Amino acid sequence: MLSPIHTFKFFLSIFVLSSILSGCAGTGDKTEQSAFYPPLPSPPRIQYLTSFSGPNDLEPDSSLSEFVLGTESENSALINKPYGVAIHDGRLYVVDIRGPGYAVFDLKNKKFDIIYGSFSGAMKKPINITIDKDGTKYITDTGRSLVLVYDKNDKFLRVIGDGESFKPSDSLIADDKIFVTDIKNHRLVVLDKNTGKQLYTIGSVGAKDGELFYPTNIALGPENNIFVSETGNFRVQKFTQEGKFLKTFGKVGTGLGQFARPKGIAVDHKGNMHVVDAAFENVQIINKDGNLLMFYGEPGGDRANINLPTGIAIDYDNVDYFRQYAKPGFELEYIILVANQFGKSKVNVFGLGRMKGMDYEEDPAAE
């Protein structure tokens, strides 16, 4: 008999591997893999698109051939233990705790690099990456208890913090402020983006509404409110930027809409939250009213699976780089990046969209 956690996992997902043979001169065999949530024949909302673990994955055909033929080199996966993930202007960034540093997948120019930093910009245990509109990067380093700032060209600029006041695990940029999750003092620290000066704090240790216990990740909603995932309290809380408590989502448990180890969180333009659970090894989509819409992802040994997932990011601006991976007829609205600390794929790319010609009227996830 399956345990409640295994029952909860999305065991109905479909993994389709099909070969399309073309008789045209100069055209070789092409293999395509697709995983949909919910699975066909239901109208799908999420499709697994592709994965990134090393430089070989910048060439679509090479990654697929390696998957089929089993010839993937041991050196092709250069990311050891990722946590945070982000994308900006055609570049995919993955923070590697054991690197330590962050990897850069340049999707435009098909180049790969790893930024380690040096001297004042050296990274000890980087966890998350936040990218401002101008390309400035903010790396939370729990090993140094600092936020490290790099420019759009990956040049180190400065540090934020004194190495003692807070232990940052994630950060968020909102106008001229930086919101930092402080896992040492169980609070949010709000800093001036330009000077690094502490302005105020949000929350204190505890389990009541407005209190925090191991606030791990943070995201900004479409109404400029803040969403904080608490690994210690097994929930997500919503605050105004001034620190006013608004709402709690979820609680500990193995049921739908409950959490065991919530970590990464991202919010789409409609206010729907995508919450990573490292214990269930899936992602739940919860609407602004707290209702579970659907969940996607599952553990396993295939490239499409997610294993010990951590960070997540939603992006609308770089969708064109991933349309080539979508099943014909599946129209992408945005992409979702999920980092994994175990398994074949270090970063999985999913797409939210709709299959052309299918009826979505009764689909709750279409909100």
Side-chain angles (χ1 to χ4, degrees), residues 18 67 82-83 92 110 143 170 175 190 198 229 245 248 295:
S18 62
F67 171 79
Y83 194 110
L92 171 65
K110 307 297 182 183
D170 198 8
D175 298 323
V190 186
Q198 181 173 315
S229 65
F245 166 79
T248 294
F295 44 93

Side-chain angles (χ1 to χ4, degrees), residues 48-69:
Y48 162 75
L49 300 174
T50 188
S51 300
F52 293 90
S53 297
N56 289 353
D57 296 321
L58 285 168
E59 297 296 336
D61 291 340
S62 67
S63 62
L64 287 172
S65 64
E66 288 164 0
F67 171 79
V68 174
L69 300 175

Side-chain angles (χ1 to χ4, degrees), residues 125-147:
K125 192 176 181 180
I127 298 293
N128 271 302
I129 180 170
T130 300
I131 306 178
D132 208 349
K133 294 178 181 179
D134 63 358
T136 303
K137 304 167 194 71
Y138 297 81
I139 311 294
T140 50
D141 192 321
T142 60
R144 296 186 61 188
S145 294
L146 296 170
V147 178

